[in-house]
Amino acid sequence: VVGNLGLGLTLVLIIGCSCVTFLTALSLSAIVTNGTVKGGGVYYFISRSLGADFGGTIGVVFSFATTFSTVLHVFGFVEVIRDLIGKNITPGGKFDIPIIGISLITVLLITVCISLAWEFYLQYVLALLIGVSIIAIVFGFAIPGNPKWTVQNLKDNFKPLYQEGNTFWSIFGVFFPACTGIMAGANISGDLKDPQKSIPIGTIGAIGATTLLYIATAIILAASGTRERLHNDTTLLADVSLWKYLITIGVIAASVSSASAALVGGPKIFQALCKDDILPRFFKFFAKGKKGSDDPIRGFLLAWCIVVACTFIFKDLNF
């Protein structure tokens, strides 16, 4: 993103995307604090405030979009693991993506099926790993006496320089999914102790924190690498950090965290949708949850099948 857009337009992109998500969060907050909040996340809020027509339409799209974002994050995980291994697992790498992707999604499926409490604790551990990797980047960048950045790089990397085939909007399409995780808290509305308080504070706080992190990261990248390196080298942050393997751990943790949240969020929304009887009768099958907790086990299995199928269909993350 920084290599193509330059630092100036990258900051415009980050702030623009943050404005979109911030306005969404304000709307979400207004709806959440204006009535009873139950399970079903965004679908529940919209259907109860704007009616079943709007809620149902958005619910179907959003539940499957969230599930397919699991695919996106699983492919991110696959890319990192393949880079770590450094060679093909299967002849010609034909089945590398399915093997690695299915392994991850199966472990996550088992975790959420046993108990969502396990998934929540997993998120705490992953958040800690991500936090450590971010600290490693900041400290590595700021070490006095051993600067890994130059003012000249900042000047050279300020204006856009697009690679062939790229435009502002193609880069926007790559970056914007990084802003769509803001619904992770709202999607588990039925599991929160005080959703009317937690969802607005958590969502708006997350947008503010990640916007600052994205801006800081963009500045670090623009200052640390030449334009050629920004275009072609994905190891730049690792070289800037105190210890490069902390960055690999952080990227793996971020991929697993996002995949796990999406795996829970999509089926949760879909279950609430099926319970409201606005879909054909067949879908009532997915309304029934686990005895005691009402967790959407059948929805989790459906999401698992979708991800597994996609590991065979798609050949790379961008596609």
Side-chain angles (χ1 to χ4, degrees):
V1 172
V2 177
N4 281 272
L5 295 184
L7 179 60
L9 267 184
T10 296
L11 296 180
V12 171
L13 174 70
I14 293 169
I15 293 168
C17 291
S18 298
C19 287
V20 173
T21 53
F22 181 65
L23 290 172
T24 306
L26 289 182
S27 300
L28 174 68
S29 301
I31 295 172
V32 169
T33 54
N34 198 36
T36 306
V37 177
K38 294 183 180 179
V42 173
Y43 159 71
Y44 181 87
F45 310 144
I46 293 174
S47 64
R48 296 311 184 268
S49 58
L50 299 178
D53 288 350
F54 281 105
T57 304
I58 292 170
V60 170
V61 173
F62 193 66
S63 61
F64 279 97
T66 305
T67 301
F68 273 99
S69 73
T70 312
V71 179
L72 182 78
H73 302 305
V74 166
F75 269 72
F77 175 84
V78 169
E79 283 199 355
V80 179
I81 298 302
R82 291 183 80 179
D83 286 345
L84 273 177
I85 294 171
K87 60 181 181 180
N88 293 328
I89 303 172
T90 56
K94 188 176 181 181
F95 296 107
D96 286 11
I97 294 174
I99 287 173
I100 300 169
I102 293 170
S103 299
L104 172 63
I105 199 64
T106 302
V107 171
L108 293 179
L109 175 71
I110 293 168
T111 302
V112 298
C113 284
I114 293 172
S115 171
L116 281 187
W118 284 31
E119 198 271 341
F120 295 150
Y121 288 127
L122 174 65
Q123 291 289 3
Y124 285 126
V125 174
L126 295 172
L128 178 65
L129 294 175
I130 295 167
V132 169
S133 69
I134 291 169
I135 291 168
I137 293 169
V138 173
F139 275 82
F141 176 76
I143 291 175
N146 184 28
K148 298 178 180 178
W149 57 277
T150 65
V151 174
Q152 188 60 46
N153 278 342
L154 274 175
K155 292 178 181 177
D156 294 343
N157 295 326
F158 190 79
K159 293 181 179 179
L161 181 63
Y162 295 105
Q163 291 171 294
E164 186 177 349
N166 282 333
T167 64
F168 177 86
W169 294 110
S170 70
I171 302 300
F172 173 88
V174 170
F175 177 77
F176 193 73
C179 301
T180 57
I182 61 161
M183 293 299 178
N187 288 344
I188 56 166
S189 56
D191 299 292
L192 300 174
K193 188 180 292 183
D194 187 0
Q196 289 181 305
K197 182 180 178 182
S198 299
I199 291 173
I201 293 174
T203 306
I204 293 172
I207 292 169
T210 51
T211 300
L212 291 174
L213 281 173
Y214 288 153
I215 289 172
T217 305
I219 293 170
I220 289 171
L221 285 166
S224 302
T226 61
R227 183 73 69 152
E228 182 183 0
R229 194 168 183 198
L230 288 170
H231 275 155
N232 302 306
D233 188 356
T234 59
T235 65
L236 178 54
L237 275 183
D239 290 343
V240 169
S241 71
L242 286 174
W243 188 47
K244 66 178 182 178
Y245 291 109
L246 281 176
I247 308 310
T248 304
I249 292 168
V251 174
I252 290 172
S255 300
V256 174
S257 173
S258 298
S260 178
L263 179 65
V264 172
K268 281 272 188 184
I269 298 167
F270 192 57
Q271 181 189 33
L273 195 65
C274 295
K275 281 183 176 181
D276 279 353
D277 286 330
I278 58 175
L279 295 175
R281 187 175 296 177
F282 165 77
F283 291 99
K284 196 73 176 174
F285 175 79
F286 294 101
K288 189 173 182 181
K290 185 179 179 182
K291 190 175 180 180
S293 63
D294 201 35
D295 294 339
I297 303 297
R298 295 173 181 181
F300 293 152
L301 290 168
L302 175 64
W304 181 88
C305 291
I306 290 171
V307 176
V308 168
C310 288
T311 61
F312 288 98
I313 295 169
F314 302 124
K315 302 302 176 190
D316 63 70
L317 181 65
N318 290 339
F319 188 77

